[in-house]
Amino acid sequence: MTTANAVFIHHPGSELYKFHEHHPFNPIRLQSSIDLLIRCGALNKDQIVVPTIADEQTIMTVHREDYVRTVRQLSEAKPVADAAALADAFGLSDDDTPYFQGMHDATAAIVGGSVYAAETVMSGQATRAFHMAGGLHHAFPHRGAGFCIYNDAAVAIRRIQRKYGARIMYIDTDVHHGDGVQWVFYDDDSVFTYSIHETGKFLFPGTGFVHERGVDAGVGACMNVPLEPYTEDDSWLHSFRTTVEAAARMFKPDLIVSQHGCDAHALDPLSHMHCSMRIYREMPLIIRDLADRYTEGRWVALGGGGYDIWRVVPRAWSYVWLALTNNPIVAQTAPEAAPVPLPADWTAAWSNAAGGVDELPVHWLDSTDEWTPMPRRSAIRETNEQTCSRVLHQ
Ligand SMILES: [Zn+2]
């Protein structure tokens, strides 16, 4: 595997996916992450492939026609009254997912990137692809939800399923349950949806329990691993390794599509998990190993959530690309090695935007020695182990 076998996909139009100035979903994280990869020598600007924007026909392989029409109308500077009245029914008027000018084009650029990534890999033009702007996993066929308007992951999977008749394993490591993708393929035995997340007892979207295993033909092609709040690295990694391995071994996919929301980090403001950068270094390696063993290496990686946009997202998403390209930085930054600094010019370049140098990390991994251990650590680990046993028992 050489770098040429991994493709980095990014459309500038996806940077316009922004609800408003104070919304936690901030596309500047795409620029700061890409810049970190460039400054550490892992990516060249001319390597970045600009995808075609998805057309409505493609989007409507998952989304309902009336929903897409309304999204388009609400994208206008001054939406017609009829469309504005429908915003609520289509999930586009609440604080999480309010409609904004240009949202159809911005989201269609994101869908286009994920479809392009999947097509590039399945057609054999590359073995692996990364589309950092993708991973809008909460969108439903008939409504927006949880910062997501169109479900790029579901559309990309649908394309591959129809065109190649392939079996696809979707692996969602975002701290929130990958509900939108799960429900689209819930009765489908050719798409396995796997999601590891903070339990829906405490976190949006309130689903993703162990008993959600698919329906009709899809029974058994869905796995959920809901973890306790304040879960730390060791328990997260153990839970992930054991369950995702069992799922891949049982399902035997032709393609892996992974979603890399990085909001299970202790610094993320929207969840209660207590993981460090260590899980974001190791988790892509676990997925890469599964791809090598089960899909002849075919792996499409997408972005996702992540709301500490300076201290967490750039490093976490860089680690995905570093794993895709077998970059030596991954081995150099092993937890047992001496801490490896981030490029100083990256810190300097972004410190103003981040509100001061203190906001930016200095090393690739977090120095968790300075963190207060969770007082209920062993109880949390035991509960997670029981959850994994129930998952595997099924
Ligand atoms: Zn999330």
Side-chain angles (χ1 to χ4, degrees):
M1 169 70 60
T2 63
T3 309
N5 276 340
V7 176
F8 192 100
I9 292 159
H10 180 69
H11 195 294
S14 62
E15 292 170 27
L16 302 174
Y17 190 86
K18 185 169 182 174
F19 295 93
H20 54 74
E21 216 37 60
H22 305 291
H23 195 284
F25 194 105
N26 189 339
I28 200 169
R29 59 198 189 138
L30 297 167
Q31 295 168 33
S32 58
S33 301
I34 290 171
D35 190 55
L36 176 55
L37 284 170
I38 291 172
R39 288 180 195 271
C40 71
L43 181 70
N44 292 316
K45 270 207 176 91
D46 54 12
Q47 247 182 300
I48 298 174
V49 177
V50 179
T52 40
I53 293 175
D55 58 26
E56 288 193 16
Q57 282 310 109
T58 303
I59 294 167
M60 286 191 295
T61 57
V62 164
H63 291 283
R64 242 166 53 180
E65 192 268 338
D66 55 347
Y67 175 63
V68 175
R69 187 175 62 237
T70 305
V71 169
R72 206 179 239 302
Q73 290 171 338
L74 289 169
S75 298
E76 300 295 328
K78 288 201 173 78
V80 294
D82 283 2
L86 285 172
D88 192 37
F90 287 114
L92 298 172
S93 65
D94 63 11
D95 289 348
D96 278 0
T97 323
Y99 65 85
F100 63 93
Q101 190 181 346
M103 70 173 166
H104 173 84
D105 290 344
T107 326
I110 293 174
V111 175
S114 296
V115 170
Y116 194 95
E119 182 63 36
T120 300
V121 170
M122 278 312 287
S123 64
Q125 296 172 65
T127 312
R128 305 167 182 168
F130 186 24
H131 180 226
M132 204 181 254
L136 303 177
H137 60 165
H138 295 308
F140 282 61
H142 60 292
R143 68 178 165 91
F147 314 163
C148 302
I149 295 167
Y150 296 142
N151 197 317
D152 59 288
V155 175
I157 290 168
R158 182 72 90 207
R159 157 72 73 99
I160 296 313
Q161 179 188 41
R162 288 190 178 166
K163 184 169 174 185
Y164 296 93
R167 291 166 64 77
I168 297 125
M169 181 168 179
Y170 172 75
I171 300 175
D172 190 315
T173 59
D174 194 285
V175 79
H176 302 95
H177 174 223
D179 58 342
V181 184
Q182 170 176 303
W183 301 128
V184 167
F185 299 104
Y186 206 50
D187 62 353
D188 194 326
D189 62 353
S190 69
V191 177
F192 192 107
T193 59
Y194 170 98
S195 181
I196 184 168
H197 44 261
E198 179 179 334
T199 171
K201 278 189 286 186
F202 304 108
L203 196 68
F204 178 90
T207 50
F209 296 102
V210 174
H211 63 79
E212 293 164 31
R213 300 180 53 236
V215 72
D216 299 334
V219 171
C222 174
M223 184 182 280
N224 282 293
V225 186
L227 299 180
E228 292 297 290
Y230 307 108
T231 294
E232 296 169 286
D233 291 346
D234 286 339
S235 182
W236 194 97
L237 284 166
H238 179 74
S239 303
F240 182 60
R241 269 202 192 91
T242 51
T243 53
V244 80
E245 165 69 36
R249 190 171 55 231
M250 192 266 294
F251 184 69
K252 297 188 179 59
D254 302 311
L255 171 71
I256 288 175
V257 175
S258 55
Q259 196 269 18
H260 294 269
C262 49
D263 37 9
H265 193 283
L267 295 172
D268 193 276
L270 299 192
S271 78
H272 317 99
M273 301 295 262
H274 214 258
C275 297
S276 80
M277 196 49 55
R278 206 182 115 210
I279 71 163
Y280 296 110
R281 176 186 169 277
E282 289 183 35
M283 171 251 293
L285 302 180
I286 296 168
I287 298 174
R288 186 179 75 190
D289 178 56
L290 292 179
D292 285 344
R293 283 189 289 137
Y294 294 105
T295 66
E296 297 172 335
R298 286 184 292 271
W299 173 23
V300 173
L302 309 173
Y307 306 100
D308 191 309
I309 60 172
W310 302 114
R311 292 177 295 179
V312 176
V313 181
R315 290 182 296 164
W317 285 357
S318 291
Y319 267 127
V320 177
W321 179 246
L322 296 175
L324 270 125
T325 52
N326 298 346
N327 191 293
I329 292 173
V330 180
Q332 289 158 11
T333 58
E336 56 276 14
V340 177
L342 294 165
D345 55 349
W346 179 80
T347 312
W350 291 95
S351 61
N352 268 348
V357 171
D358 290 348
E359 291 290 324
L360 291 162
V362 179
H363 297 112
W364 278 97
L365 292 185
D366 302 308
S367 41
T368 49
D369 303 348
E370 295 157 20
W371 293 11
T372 311
M374 287 292 105
R376 294 178 54 249
R377 178 181 284 174
S378 61
I380 291 166
R381 189 187 59 230
E382 277 168 32
T383 306
N384 286 340
E385 282 176 6
Q386 285 161 12
T387 300
C388 290
S389 303
R390 280 165 50 223
V391 170
L392 294 171
H393 187 69
Q394 292 175 347

